[in-house]
Amino acid sequence: MFKKIMKGGHKKPSKSESNDPSSYGLGGSNVVVSHASRGGGALVTSPMTATPPPPITSVSPLPLFRDVPVSERQALFLRKLQNCCFHFDFADASKNIAREKEIKRQTLLELVDFVQSGSSKIISESCQEEMIKMVSLNLFRCLPPASHENTGQEPADPEEEEPYLEPSWPHLQLVYELLLRYVVSTDTDTKVAKRYIDHSFVLKLLDLFDSEDPREREYLKTILHRIYGKFMVHRPFIRKAINNIFYRFIYETERHSGIGELLEILGSIINGFALPMKEEHKLFLVRVLIPLHKPKPIGIYHQQLSYCIVQFVEKDYKLADTVIRGLLKYWPVTNCTKENLFLGELEEVLEATQPVEFQRCMVPLFQQIARCLNSSHFQVAERALFLWNNEHIVGLIAQSRSVILPIIYPALEKNIQSHWNQAVHGLTANIKKMFMEMDHELFEDCRRQYEEKQAKSKEVEEQRQFTWKRLAEAAAERDGVGGGEDYMITS
């Protein structure tokens, strides 16, 4: 799943930035995007320099790179960047605007080809700075609010909402492609590039992960993963910034469009963690990944979350107890769909669990599994019974059968006696047979204890009913009223 991040593909900035247009580079092509201090040097050192042209008020065609001498290409590169700084209203369908939009699109295509072809070797540091400014002006913008934010209505289920597709995507896609090609290019000097792709730039990229447009989130995922891989100096900052997005999602909003994409990036990062695992990474598991099981829209990102969780257990088997107890802490009570997701994830975790860690948490674990076995929702009961189809899990259960069977035997008997679904009946009978063949003596002990407990419960119930009957009769005699049966309380 994470051998490579899929090819790439917009939404809300943080509240602190949404009120500050300058933080997104809005307001015209002459806005300067704040970056870290810069020194000398170029992508690949070049004696040529170029002065940025003045701001433009419209887009006009420019010659192709191949049609000008090499000595003039940097100046042409800057002019093309200026052309691409011009913003268009995609709601305007007039012919003149359509023509200029196409000019900008073709210009962006040329820039992408120029960087991708290796011609970027001649790009000076000042040209790189202007290119990142152009990228910032196009990408960093206020994202449209969700439908419920406009209407004041209760938010709908995110899984059922139609995603908002960015109308300016024909241009945005090429800007993202240009940024991606710049980041992955072997000609890009990270010492120079990190002056422009700095913490501020990364934070604004992360804000865009809340875009409803899945195409944009796909590009963002690829680009951020490449930045994480290439700019080692940014790695701790990126992890911390992603954590902050998760914290806000878990404890404040429970709404964010890009949780799945961010978890995909983290799945690849976790896969590369060195052993022994740092305490920082274990805290991330406990404080972020496990609590991510709490929000209602978990179905949107559960596959990616489950992958991250299992990666931790496979990296360090001692974390299995922590993970399983974390799942039990957030186990859903009334949401059967969510419960099925938890059971599926639990199976994957148990597959990577060693016997010692399993024995630490098996009592609360199988108490919960017993409740799932008796669920009136047949899919939950069936999914819990399917755990016994996994050979590794059956092996773990067999080693600790003297503890586990007494916990789940009453649930198995209850299914046989009263569950409404025939498939659940059949699976339960198979599991009883499996335990009987595994340890006949233990099975008979559990059966005997269950029957004794049932007989005792029946006796207690009969005594309770008899006591209530006597009380009702005594009350009737005292009041001189017949029909003491009116006072009877039935179970």
Side-chain angles (χ1 to χ4, degrees), residues 35 43 53 67 71-72 74-75 86 91 113 127 130-131 138 163 169 205 289 298 348 390 450 470 479:
H35 289 290
L43 185 65
D67 295 337
S71 59
E72 297 177 14
Q74 282 204 61
F86 196 82
D113 290 340
C127 287
E130 292 302 315
M131 180 172 68
N138 280 275
W169 183 245
L205 273 184
L289 291 185
I298 185 176
E348 291 187 51
N390 188 298
Y450 175 76
R470 290 185 60 188
D479 298 339

Side-chain angles (χ1 to χ4, degrees), residues 320-321 323-329 331 342-343 345-347 349-351 353-354 357-373 384 387-388 393 396-397 403-404 407-408:
D321 177 50
V323 167
I324 290 171
R325 289 182 185 275
L327 285 172
L328 295 177
K329 178 181 178 180
W331 201 275
F342 273 54
L343 286 165
E345 182 177 350
L346 178 63
E347 180 174 358
V349 171
L350 287 173
E351 278 194 80
T353 302
Q354 300 301 315
E357 302 304 317
F358 176 76
Q359 289 165 10
R360 290 180 182 174
C361 60
M362 62 184 177
V363 173
L365 171 61
F366 278 87
Q367 287 171 345
Q368 180 59 60
I369 289 175
R371 288 190 284 272
C372 292
L373 292 175
L387 292 173
W388 274 265
I393 295 175
L396 294 173
I397 292 171
V403 176
I404 293 171
I407 295 173
I408 66 165

Side-chain angles (χ1 to χ4, degrees), residues 307-341:
Y307 178 83
C308 292
I309 292 284
V310 173
Q311 284 284 301
F312 267 100
V313 179
E314 289 178 347
K315 284 275 181 181
D316 186 351
Y317 69 90
K318 293 180 181 179
L319 293 171
D321 177 50
T322 302
V323 167
I324 290 171
R325 289 182 185 275
L327 285 172
L328 295 177
K329 178 181 178 180
Y330 294 104
W331 201 275
V333 178
T334 59
N335 189 330
C336 296
T337 303
K338 193 172 176 181
E339 203 164 3
N340 269 328
L341 294 177

Side-chain angles (χ1 to χ4, degrees), residues 172-224:
L172 279 181
Q173 180 182 13
L174 295 173
V175 177
Y176 276 117
E177 189 67 28
L178 175 63
L179 177 59
L180 177 61
R181 294 304 158 198
Y182 173 69
V183 171
V184 303
S185 173
T186 55
D187 299 322
T188 301
D189 184 349
T190 54
K191 292 180 180 179
V192 174
K194 73 180 181 182
R195 299 184 186 128
Y196 315 115
I197 299 179
D198 56 8
H199 287 181
S200 173
F201 187 90
V202 169
L203 279 177
K204 290 171 185 176
L205 273 184
L206 284 168
D207 282 337
L208 293 173
F209 271 89
D210 202 13
S211 168
E212 289 185 18
D213 194 325
R215 303 167 300 181
E216 181 164 21
R217 296 199 305 272
E218 200 68 23
Y219 260 110
L220 286 163
K221 178 183 70 177
T222 306
I223 290 168
L224 186 64

Side-chain angles (χ1 to χ4, degrees), residues 425-443:
H425 268 264
L427 290 167
T428 303
N430 290 340
I431 291 173
K432 283 187 66 177
K433 184 179 178 182
M434 183 188 298
F435 275 114
M436 190 183 297
E437 293 172 352
M438 192 184 293
D439 192 330
H440 184 75
E441 185 178 346
L442 175 63
F443 184 86

